[in-house]
Amino acid sequence: MKRILALILLHIVVTLLLSGCWNRRELNELAIAVAAGVDWVDDRYRLTVQVAIPGQVTSKKSGGPQAPATLYTAEGDTIFEASRRMTQVSPRKIYFSHLRMFLMDEAMAREGIAKVLDLLSRDHEFRPDFYLVITRGATAEETLKIMTQMETIPANKLYESLQISEKTWSPSMAVTLDELINDLISTGKHPVLTGLVITGNRDLGKTRKNIENIETLSQLKYSGLAVFKYDKLVGWLNERDSRNYRLITGHVKSSVGFIPCKDKNEGKIVIETLRTEAKMKGSIVNDRPEMDIKIRLEGNIGAVECSGLDLSQPATVRELEAEMEKDIKQSLEAIVEKVQTELKVDIFGFGEALRHSHPRAWKRMKEAWNDRYFPNLETRIHVDYKIRRTGTTNDTFLNDIKE
């Protein structure tokens, strides 16, 4: 009898555990959000959501008269409120678990993004693997209206373009929600986010004409990095400064640079950087913090426009390496000085490096780090560049061309 009761009890417990589908929602009951954006308009949140239309992105039906995605926009005193107000126009509940991109306009960024991030991190429907960017010169709503080629859904274009730009060019950064929040709560490093701009005719970019011709009338382009002090936007880095910033932080995977020929009117030597490594170490000298930054780079010769240059000679290659080291060192020193004097916020993580090497000193300095110590921090940058390959030829046929 006891055995039978135990089996009945086990059956009841297992039955309760198997009831995990009580809150299931069928696919045809949901609107799958692939991108979302928040604008700060008249002290309220304007939420825009880009929803994919499944029937228009399949191989059989793509290219029809209907757009591959649709937009829903609503305003509210909170983002949650704006999201629920979308049900007044959307025939389905917005589902955010497949979100790829999240956009915020400059006004929202200058107001402060912490409250927005709190909702994104707290709501169970948001996965933390989407990318966040800041729109420049346009609202998030306007940006999400631009139609794109190659990738049918604009959100997919933004996602893939950010990934490939980060890997092969380097001024852009693909930042996820978890990474952004970690920088926000860090006492020794402030966050940066990639900027996104609309180029060309934005009015025509919202129409199908934008994807009907070879020449795209309007495009979405990543441009520069937005610099934050805590959760508020304080300035921008241009393309060159953005790449140098990423070199200092050791996040450059691949990039391209050049050295002018000895006769500067003659041409350039193009070098492709393939590997980088950066290390920071803080020290205390005479009760003041100092920072040593060591950067190692490896690259290949990509193109030679100079005549009379013999790359088969080790001395020639070493001379090019020295030129690259000099140029990179000057560029990195310039970006550090610019951030120290103009923006006055530690985006490099120098504070974190000092905390690891001198935790007691950091505990004393951290409250006044950005206002007192960081702007006056002495930095020493050491660059080591190695050219591994010169290409399939040591000489250039340009030497044999005679006018």
Side-chain angles (χ1 to χ4, degrees):
M1 186 67 181
K2 292 182 179 180
R3 194 172 185 179
I4 295 174
L5 290 175
L7 289 173
I8 293 173
L9 181 61
L10 179 62
H11 177 74
I12 293 173
V13 171
V14 171
T15 303
L16 291 173
L17 293 175
L18 292 176
S19 60
C21 297
W22 63 272
N23 65 339
R24 74 184 187 278
R25 284 171 287 182
E26 300 297 334
L27 187 62
N28 59 2
E29 298 175 354
L30 300 174
I32 307 297
V34 289
V38 175
D39 299 309
W40 185 248
V41 182
D42 298 329
D43 296 333
R44 301 186 81 200
Y45 297 99
R46 177 181 292 169
L47 176 64
T48 303
V49 177
Q50 187 179 101
V51 175
I53 302 176
Q56 292 299 309
V57 296
T58 59
S59 59
K60 293 183 179 180
K61 294 187 177 181
S62 60
Q66 189 177 1
T70 186
L71 283 186
Y72 294 112
T73 302
E75 293 186 10
D77 294 321
T78 66
I79 299 178
F80 214 146
E81 176 187 328
S83 175
R84 290 302 172 89
R85 278 187 173 173
M86 284 185 181
T87 57
Q88 295 176 315
V89 291
S90 172
R92 303 177 184 179
K93 186 178 182 298
I94 307 296
Y95 186 63
F96 289 98
S97 289
H98 294 283
L99 197 72
R100 308 208 83 182
M101 298 295 302
F102 193 88
L103 286 58
M104 294 173 282
D105 74 334
E106 283 192 74
M108 182 74 261
R110 294 189 185 279
E111 179 69 20
I113 63 175
K115 294 179 181 178
V116 177
L117 301 183
D118 179 75
L119 170 68
L120 299 180
S121 63
R122 191 178 299 274
D123 195 315
H124 68 280
E125 283 193 357
F126 286 92
R127 298 176 183 175
D129 58 351
F130 55 87
Y131 296 144
L132 299 98
V133 296
I134 305 296
T135 61
R136 303 183 65 179
T139 64
E141 181 184 8
E142 290 176 317
T143 306
L144 289 175
K145 289 180 180 179
I146 302 298
M147 299 189 71
T148 58
Q149 292 184 331
M150 295 289 287
E151 295 290 344
T152 308
I153 300 177
N156 289 342
K157 183 273 176 193
L158 291 174
Y159 185 87
E160 300 294 341
S161 181
L162 185 56
Q163 282 190 327
I164 196 67
S165 176
E166 181 189 47
K167 291 178 181 178
T168 61
W169 180 224
S170 77
S172 304
M173 287 182 62
V175 180
T176 63
L177 180 62
D178 286 343
E179 293 169 338
L180 179 57
I181 292 177
N182 286 337
D183 284 347
L184 276 173
I185 63 178
S186 171
T187 56
K189 186 180 186 298
H190 290 266
V192 296
L193 286 176
T194 300
L196 178 64
V197 299
I198 302 175
T199 63
N201 190 323
R202 66 181 62 183
D203 291 330
L204 292 178
K206 302 172 186 177
T207 67
R208 185 167 285 276
K209 289 183 178 180
N210 199 46
I211 58 175
E212 289 179 344
N213 302 308
I214 292 179
E215 181 183 7
T216 306
L217 302 173
S218 181
Q219 291 185 340
L220 298 175
K221 175 185 176 182
Y222 291 111
S223 177
L225 293 177
V227 176
F228 287 80
K229 185 173 184 179
Y230 302 108
D231 72 323
K232 295 184 178 181
L233 176 67
V234 294
W236 290 91
L237 299 180
N238 60 31
E239 184 178 71
R240 182 179 176 86
D241 290 340
S242 298
R243 183 170 56 173
N244 291 328
Y245 158 78
R246 299 199 68 225
L247 273 174
I248 291 177
T249 56
H251 292 144
V252 172
K253 297 179 177 68
S254 178
S255 192
V256 177
F258 69 88
I259 304 170
C261 301
K262 291 184 178 179
D263 181 359
K264 295 187 178 181
N265 296 323
E266 190 176 351
K268 304 177 182 67
I269 304 165
V270 181
I271 300 180
E272 179 188 13
T273 299
L274 298 175
R275 281 173 289 276
T276 64
E277 180 184 357
K279 294 182 179 180
M280 305 178 188
K281 185 175 182 181
S283 59
I284 303 296
V285 179
N286 296 327
D287 204 36
R288 297 190 64 83
E290 295 183 359
M291 192 65 52
D292 283 284
I293 306 159
K294 296 182 179 180
I295 300 177
R296 297 182 69 255
L297 307 97
E298 295 182 10
N300 298 334
I301 301 292
V304 176
E305 301 175 356
C306 311
S307 60
L309 191 68
D310 186 3
L311 294 176
S312 64
Q313 299 296 322
T316 302
V317 175
R318 181 55 201 149
E319 184 179 348
L320 295 179
E321 291 174 342
E323 286 292 326
M324 284 295 291
E325 291 171 355
K326 178 182 177 182
D327 182 68
I328 292 174
K329 185 174 186 294
Q330 290 176 345
S331 298
L332 299 185
E333 289 173 342
I335 180 58
V336 171
E337 182 181 1
K338 177 179 179 178
V339 174
Q340 285 179 312
T341 56
E342 296 180 14
L343 300 174
K344 297 181 180 180
V345 56
D346 184 2
I347 58 175
F348 304 104
F350 292 158
E352 281 293 304
L354 187 67
R355 181 177 68 86
H356 286 296
S357 58
H358 293 80
R360 291 185 179 178
W362 172 249
K363 188 175 182 181
R364 171 172 52 86
M365 296 177 180
K366 65 179 181 179
E367 296 299 330
W369 178 251
N370 285 296
D371 298 325
R372 177 183 173 187
Y373 294 104
F374 174 72
N376 301 303
L377 180 68
E378 182 179 345
T379 59
R380 292 180 290 271
I381 299 176
H382 313 273
V383 179
D384 181 21
Y385 201 106
K386 298 297 182 185
I387 295 176
R388 297 305 184 190
R389 295 178 179 85
T390 60
T392 57
T393 178
N394 290 325
D395 202 352
T396 173
F397 69 87
L398 297 177
N399 294 332
D400 300 326
I401 297 178
K402 297 180 181 181
E403 295 184 1

